[in-house]
Amino acid sequence: MSGSLEIERKFLVVGDSYKRMASSSSRIMQGYICSERGRTVRVRLRGGRGFLTIKGPSADGGLSRYEFEKEITPAEAGQLFALCEPGAIDKTRWLVPCGAHTFEVDEFHGCNEGLVVAEVELSSASEQFEKPAFVGREVTGDRRFYNSSLTKRPFTAWGAAERAEAQCPGRG
């Protein structure tokens, strides 16, 4: 069980070189019991393990927010999925070491097929980090790319221009 301030930056991904660079990958299924602005309660199954996560409101333009996470049994996660709002996230998470950090690259499936984003957790908002070649435009704080938003307005429902911008972003 842990609760702390989560500081992370999020980027669109260019190409698929992250797959060759990854140290591991796992499939993630997640749903939201609550996805109100300012608070989310998420249920997740990842690699046969269950998790319940509560996140507070974003601060610093989406850069940081309080996060509490507790491991639960897969059976408990399955029961809690029944309480989730409509829409679910199905993705493969690739862990990609780069310098002193590990990027979490999420390749979405299902209704969010075609979207790939990378996040890096930092110890402070001003912490410097090495950007791998696959890191494109920064989307930290852009609510369209929040997983909770993608359950309500999936990537495949975006307009063609908006999808193209997310799939072929310029470097940031």
Side-chain angles (χ1 to χ4, degrees):
M1 176 167 51
S2 65
S4 62
L5 186 64
E6 174 187 60
I7 301 169
E8 66 183 15
R9 291 176 62 183
K10 185 179 286 197
F11 303 87
L12 296 175
V13 170
V14 179
D16 66 357
S17 63
Y18 63 90
K19 291 180 181 181
R20 292 184 302 281
M21 299 168 66
S23 60
S24 66
S25 68
S26 58
R27 193 72 174 243
I28 296 174
M29 296 293 297
Q30 68 188 42
Y32 290 85
I33 294 172
C34 173
S35 61
E36 300 281 323
R37 189 175 184 107
R39 72 182 68 88
T40 60
V41 179
R42 176 185 76 203
V43 179
R44 173 182 278 178
L45 278 172
R46 178 181 183 182
R49 298 169 63 196
F51 299 91
L52 179 65
T53 305
I54 301 168
K55 294 188 178 194
S58 293
D60 306 320
L63 185 62
S64 64
R65 65 182 172 171
Y66 175 80
E67 179 182 271
F68 170 89
E69 184 167 81
K70 179 170 181 24
E71 186 164 354
I72 58 177
T73 68
E76 290 169 328
Q79 292 170 343
L80 290 174
F81 272 119
L83 302 177
C84 288
E85 299 169 345
I89 296 293
D90 177 10
K91 61 188 179 181
T92 299
R93 172 161 291 167
W94 303 81
L95 299 181
V96 183
C98 183
H101 297 87
T102 297
F103 282 76
E104 296 178 339
V105 179
D106 289 342
E107 176 186 3
F108 290 86
H109 308 292
C111 293
N112 290 297
E113 187 76 36
L115 179 62
V116 184
V117 299
E119 296 178 348
V120 61
E121 287 202 23
L122 305 171
S123 57
S124 73
S126 60
E127 183 179 354
Q128 298 297 307
F129 59 94
E130 183 180 334
K131 290 183 184 176
F134 61 78
V135 167
R137 183 170 61 85
E138 184 164 4
V139 293
T140 301
D142 186 335
R143 298 189 60 79
R144 295 176 300 170
F145 296 97
Y146 289 9
N147 284 265
S148 58
S149 295
L150 291 168
T151 62
K152 295 177 176 73
R153 186 171 174 254
F155 185 65
T156 56
W158 294 15
E162 194 176 16
R163 277 195 318 274
E165 175 196 6
Q167 289 175 314
C168 302
R171 292 213 24 106

PDB file of all heavy atoms in Angstrom, residues 12-32:
ATOM      1  N   LEU A  12       3.672  11.707 -26.952  1.00  0.00           N
ATOM      2  CA  LEU A  12       3.276  10.837 -28.045  1.00  0.00           C
ATOM      3  C   LEU A  12       4.517  10.096 -28.519  1.00  0.00           C
ATOM      4  O   LEU A  12       5.638  10.568 -28.330  1.00  0.00           O
ATOM      5  CB  LEU A  12       2.666  11.659 -29.180  1.00  0.00           C
ATOM      6  CG  LEU A  12       1.364  12.382 -28.814  1.00  0.00           C
ATOM      7  CD1 LEU A  12       0.898  13.261 -29.964  1.00  0.00           C
ATOM      8  CD2 LEU A  12       0.275  11.383 -28.422  1.00  0.00           C
ATOM      9  N   VAL A  13       4.311   8.934 -29.124  1.00  0.00           N
ATOM     10  CA  VAL A  13       5.420   8.085 -29.544  1.00  0.00           C
ATOM     11  C   VAL A  13       5.545   8.091 -31.061  1.00  0.00           C
ATOM     12  O   VAL A  13       4.548   8.004 -31.781  1.00  0.00           O
ATOM     13  CB  VAL A  13       5.221   6.649 -29.011  1.00  0.00           C
ATOM     14  CG1 VAL A  13       6.217   5.684 -29.619  1.00  0.00           C
ATOM     15  CG2 VAL A  13       5.330   6.645 -27.487  1.00  0.00           C
ATOM     16  N   VAL A  14       6.772   8.197 -31.533  1.00  0.00           N
ATOM     17  CA  VAL A  14       7.097   8.179 -32.951  1.00  0.00           C
ATOM     18  C   VAL A  14       7.737   6.828 -33.268  1.00  0.00           C
ATOM     19  O   VAL A  14       8.741   6.467 -32.650  1.00  0.00           O
ATOM     20  CB  VAL A  14       8.081   9.324 -33.304  1.00  0.00           C
ATOM     21  CG1 VAL A  14       8.441   9.276 -34.777  1.00  0.00           C
ATOM     22  CG2 VAL A  14       7.499  10.680 -32.930  1.00  0.00           C
ATOM     23  N   GLY A  15       7.160   6.079 -34.199  1.00  0.00           N
ATOM     24  CA  GLY A  15       7.728   4.796 -34.604  1.00  0.00           C
ATOM     25  C   GLY A  15       7.516   3.705 -33.567  1.00  0.00           C
ATOM     26  O   GLY A  15       6.740   3.853 -32.627  1.00  0.00           O
ATOM     27  N   ASP A  16       8.237   2.586 -33.743  1.00  0.00           N
ATOM     28  CA  ASP A  16       8.083   1.468 -32.812  1.00  0.00           C
ATOM     29  C   ASP A  16       9.416   0.952 -32.280  1.00  0.00           C
ATOM     30  O   ASP A  16       9.528  -0.178 -31.820  1.00  0.00           O
ATOM     31  CB  ASP A  16       7.279   0.332 -33.444  1.00  0.00           C
ATOM     32  CG  ASP A  16       7.995  -0.328 -34.607  1.00  0.00           C
ATOM     33  OD1 ASP A  16       9.096   0.120 -34.984  1.00  0.00           O
ATOM     34  OD2 ASP A  16       7.453  -1.322 -35.133  1.00  0.00           O
ATOM     35  N   SER A  17      10.451   1.802 -32.301  1.00  0.00           N
ATOM     36  CA  SER A  17      11.769   1.395 -31.796  1.00  0.00           C
ATOM     37  C   SER A  17      11.720   1.036 -30.307  1.00  0.00           C
ATOM     38  O   SER A  17      12.570   0.279 -29.827  1.00  0.00           O
ATOM     39  CB  SER A  17      12.810   2.489 -32.034  1.00  0.00           C
ATOM     40  OG  SER A  17      12.479   3.668 -31.312  1.00  0.00           O
ATOM     41  N   TYR A  18      10.723   1.528 -29.588  1.00  0.00           N
ATOM     42  CA  TYR A  18      10.584   1.219 -28.165  1.00  0.00           C
ATOM     43  C   TYR A  18      10.458  -0.283 -27.931  1.00  0.00           C
ATOM     44  O   TYR A  18      10.891  -0.791 -26.900  1.00  0.00           O
ATOM     45  CB  TYR A  18       9.381   1.957 -27.548  1.00  0.00           C
ATOM     46  CG  TYR A  18       8.047   1.566 -28.126  1.00  0.00           C
ATOM     47  CD1 TYR A  18       7.309   0.526 -27.581  1.00  0.00           C
ATOM     48  CD2 TYR A  18       7.519   2.232 -29.230  1.00  0.00           C
ATOM     49  CE1 TYR A  18       6.084   0.157 -28.121  1.00  0.00           C
ATOM     50  CE2 TYR A  18       6.302   1.872 -29.769  1.00  0.00           C
ATOM     51  CZ  TYR A  18       5.588   0.831 -29.217  1.00  0.00           C
ATOM     52  OH  TYR A  18       4.379   0.470 -29.744  1.00  0.00           O
ATOM     53  N   LYS A  19       9.889  -1.015 -28.885  1.00  0.00           N
ATOM     54  CA  LYS A  19       9.714  -2.465 -28.707  1.00  0.00           C
ATOM     55  C   LYS A  19      11.066  -3.173 -28.642  1.00  0.00           C
ATOM     56  O   LYS A  19      11.261  -4.081 -27.830  1.00  0.00           O
ATOM     57  CB  LYS A  19       8.864  -3.044 -29.836  1.00  0.00           C
ATOM     58  CG  LYS A  19       7.413  -2.593 -29.773  1.00  0.00           C
ATOM     59  CD  LYS A  19       6.596  -3.188 -30.899  1.00  0.00           C
ATOM     60  CE  LYS A  19       5.163  -2.707 -30.816  1.00  0.00           C
ATOM     61  NZ  LYS A  19       4.316  -3.280 -31.879  1.00  0.00           N
ATOM     62  N   ARG A  20      12.013  -2.756 -29.461  1.00  0.00           N
ATOM     63  CA  ARG A  20      13.353  -3.355 -29.456  1.00  0.00           C
ATOM     64  C   ARG A  20      14.143  -2.934 -28.214  1.00  0.00           C
ATOM     65  O   ARG A  20      15.045  -3.654 -27.773  1.00  0.00           O
ATOM     66  CB  ARG A  20      14.118  -2.964 -30.718  1.00  0.00           C
ATOM     67  CG  ARG A  20      13.552  -3.572 -31.994  1.00  0.00           C
ATOM     68  CD  ARG A  20      14.394  -3.241 -33.217  1.00  0.00           C
ATOM     69  NE  ARG A  20      14.566  -1.813 -33.483  1.00  0.00           N
ATOM     70  CZ  ARG A  20      13.651  -1.043 -34.067  1.00  0.00           C
ATOM     71  NH1 ARG A  20      12.489  -1.545 -34.439  1.00  0.00           N
ATOM     72  NH2 ARG A  20      13.889   0.242 -34.279  1.00  0.00           N
ATOM     73  N   MET A  21      13.834  -1.767 -27.690  1.00  0.00           N
ATOM     74  CA  MET A  21      14.560  -1.237 -26.537  1.00  0.00           C
ATOM     75  C   MET A  21      13.990  -1.704 -25.199  1.00  0.00           C
ATOM     76  O   MET A  21      14.632  -1.537 -24.162  1.00  0.00           O
ATOM     77  CB  MET A  21      14.512   0.304 -26.583  1.00  0.00           C
ATOM     78  CG  MET A  21      15.152   0.904 -27.817  1.00  0.00           C
ATOM     79  SD  MET A  21      14.757   2.672 -28.003  1.00  0.00           S
ATOM     80  CE  MET A  21      15.590   3.363 -26.584  1.00  0.00           C
ATOM     81  N   ALA A  22      12.796  -2.286 -25.207  1.00  0.00           N
ATOM     82  CA  ALA A  22      12.086  -2.630 -23.974  1.00  0.00           C
ATOM     83  C   ALA A  22      12.760  -3.763 -23.211  1.00  0.00           C
ATOM     84  O   ALA A  22      13.266  -4.720 -23.801  1.00  0.00           O
ATOM     85  CB  ALA A  22      10.649  -3.010 -24.293  1.00  0.00           C
ATOM     86  N   SER A  23      12.754  -3.639 -21.894  1.00  0.00           N
ATOM     87  CA  SER A  23      13.266  -4.702 -21.028  1.00  0.00           C
ATOM     88  C   SER A  23      12.171  -5.714 -20.713  1.00  0.00           C
ATOM     89  O   SER A  23      12.467  -6.860 -20.373  1.00  0.00           O
ATOM     90  CB  SER A  23      13.833  -4.114 -19.735  1.00  0.00           C
ATOM     91  OG  SER A  23      12.826  -3.411 -19.035  1.00  0.00           O
ATOM     92  N   SER A  24      10.894  -5.295 -20.824  1.00  0.00           N
ATOM     93  CA  SER A  24       9.771  -6.203 -20.591  1.00  0.00           C
ATOM     94  C   SER A  24       8.485  -5.551 -21.099  1.00  0.00           C
ATOM     95  O   SER A  24       8.454  -4.359 -21.408  1.00  0.00           O
ATOM     96  CB  SER A  24       9.625  -6.535 -19.099  1.00  0.00           C
ATOM     97  OG  SER A  24       9.260  -5.377 -18.376  1.00  0.00           O
ATOM     98  N   SER A  25       7.437  -6.364 -21.155  1.00  0.00           N
ATOM     99  CA  SER A  25       6.116  -5.846 -21.511  1.00  0.00           C
ATOM    100  C   SER A  25       5.059  -6.685 -20.808  1.00  0.00           C
ATOM    101  O   SER A  25       5.314  -7.836 -20.433  1.00  0.00           O
ATOM    102  CB  SER A  25       5.894  -5.876 -23.027  1.00  0.00           C
ATOM    103  OG  SER A  25       5.816  -7.206 -23.490  1.00  0.00           O
ATOM    104  N   SER A  26       3.879  -6.095 -20.597  1.00  0.00           N
ATOM    105  CA  SER A  26       2.770  -6.822 -19.989  1.00  0.00           C
ATOM    106  C   SER A  26       1.455  -6.233 -20.478  1.00  0.00           C
ATOM    107  O   SER A  26       1.371  -5.051 -20.817  1.00  0.00           O
ATOM    108  CB  SER A  26       2.848  -6.763 -18.461  1.00  0.00           C
ATOM    109  OG  SER A  26       2.839  -5.428 -18.009  1.00  0.00           O
ATOM    110  N   ARG A  27       0.438  -7.073 -20.519  1.00  0.00           N
ATOM    111  CA  ARG A  27      -0.900  -6.638 -20.932  1.00  0.00           C
ATOM    112  C   ARG A  27      -1.616  -6.081 -19.712  1.00  0.00           C
ATOM    113  O   ARG A  27      -1.517  -6.638 -18.615  1.00  0.00           O
ATOM    114  CB  ARG A  27      -1.663  -7.825 -21.524  1.00  0.00           C
ATOM    115  CG  ARG A  27      -2.921  -7.484 -22.279  1.00  0.00           C
ATOM    116  CD  ARG A  27      -2.599  -6.824 -23.612  1.00  0.00           C
ATOM    117  NE  ARG A  27      -3.769  -6.603 -24.423  1.00  0.00           N
ATOM    118  CZ  ARG A  27      -3.967  -7.166 -25.609  1.00  0.00           C
ATOM    119  NH1 ARG A  27      -3.075  -7.997 -26.118  1.00  0.00           N
ATOM    120  NH2 ARG A  27      -5.048  -6.901 -26.295  1.00  0.00           N
ATOM    121  N   ILE A  28      -2.332  -4.975 -19.904  1.00  0.00           N
ATOM    122  CA  ILE A  28      -3.067  -4.322 -18.817  1.00  0.00           C
ATOM    123  C   ILE A  28      -4.519  -4.146 -19.240  1.00  0.00           C
ATOM    124  O   ILE A  28      -4.800  -3.669 -20.339  1.00  0.00           O
ATOM    125  CB  ILE A  28      -2.462  -2.934 -18.485  1.00  0.00           C
ATOM    126  CG1 ILE A  28      -1.037  -3.084 -17.959  1.00  0.00           C
ATOM    127  CG2 ILE A  28      -3.341  -2.180 -17.489  1.00  0.00           C
ATOM    128  CD1 ILE A  28      -0.312  -1.756 -17.734  1.00  0.00           C
ATOM    129  N   MET A  29      -5.424  -4.521 -18.348  1.00  0.00           N
ATOM    130  CA  MET A  29      -6.850  -4.235 -18.496  1.00  0.00           C
ATOM    131  C   MET A  29      -7.225  -3.357 -17.307  1.00  0.00           C
ATOM    132  O   MET A  29      -6.866  -3.673 -16.169  1.00  0.00           O
ATOM    133  CB  MET A  29      -7.679  -5.520 -18.461  1.00  0.00           C
ATOM    134  CG  MET A  29      -7.407  -6.464 -19.616  1.00  0.00           C
ATOM    135  SD  MET A  29      -7.924  -5.821 -21.214  1.00  0.00           S
ATOM    136  CE  MET A  29      -9.678  -5.671 -21.004  1.00  0.00           C
ATOM    137  N   GLN A  30      -7.928  -2.253 -17.576  1.00  0.00           N
ATOM    138  CA  GLN A  30      -8.326  -1.394 -16.465  1.00  0.00           C
ATOM    139  C   GLN A  30      -9.658  -0.726 -16.741  1.00  0.00           C
ATOM    140  O   GLN A  30     -10.038  -0.496 -17.886  1.00  0.00           O
ATOM    141  CB  GLN A  30      -7.250  -0.362 -16.135  1.00  0.00           C
ATOM    142  CG  GLN A  30      -7.031   0.700 -17.176  1.00  0.00           C
ATOM    143  CD  GLN A  30      -5.818   1.563 -16.846  1.00  0.00           C
ATOM    144  OE1 GLN A  30      -4.773   1.083 -16.424  1.00  0.00           O
ATOM    145  NE2 GLN A  30      -5.958   2.861 -17.053  1.00  0.00           N
ATOM    146  N   GLY A  31     -10.350  -0.447 -15.648  1.00  0.00           N
ATOM    147  CA  GLY A  31     -11.615   0.264 -15.704  1.00  0.00           C
ATOM    148  C   GLY A  31     -11.669   1.280 -14.579  1.00  0.00           C
ATOM    149  O   GLY A  31     -10.825   1.270 -13.671  1.00  0.00           O
ATOM    150  N   TYR A  32     -12.675   2.139 -14.634  1.00  0.00           N
ATOM    151  CA  TYR A  32     -12.801   3.221 -13.667  1.00  0.00           C
ATOM    152  C   TYR A  32     -14.113   3.127 -12.916  1.00  0.00           C
ATOM    153  O   TYR A  32     -15.183   3.128 -13.522  1.00  0.00           O
ATOM    154  CB  TYR A  32     -12.683   4.581 -14.370  1.00  0.00           C
ATOM    155  CG  TYR A  32     -11.280   4.823 -14.848  1.00  0.00           C
ATOM    156  CD1 TYR A  32     -10.850   4.336 -16.074  1.00  0.00           C
ATOM    157  CD2 TYR A  32     -10.366   5.470 -14.035  1.00  0.00           C
ATOM    158  CE1 TYR A  32      -9.544   4.507 -16.496  1.00  0.00           C
ATOM    159  CE2 TYR A  32      -9.054   5.643 -14.445  1.00  0.00           C
ATOM    160  CZ  TYR A  32      -8.651   5.160 -15.671  1.00  0.00           C
ATOM    161  OH  TYR A  32      -7.359   5.319 -16.067  1.00  0.00           O
TER     162      TYR A  32
END
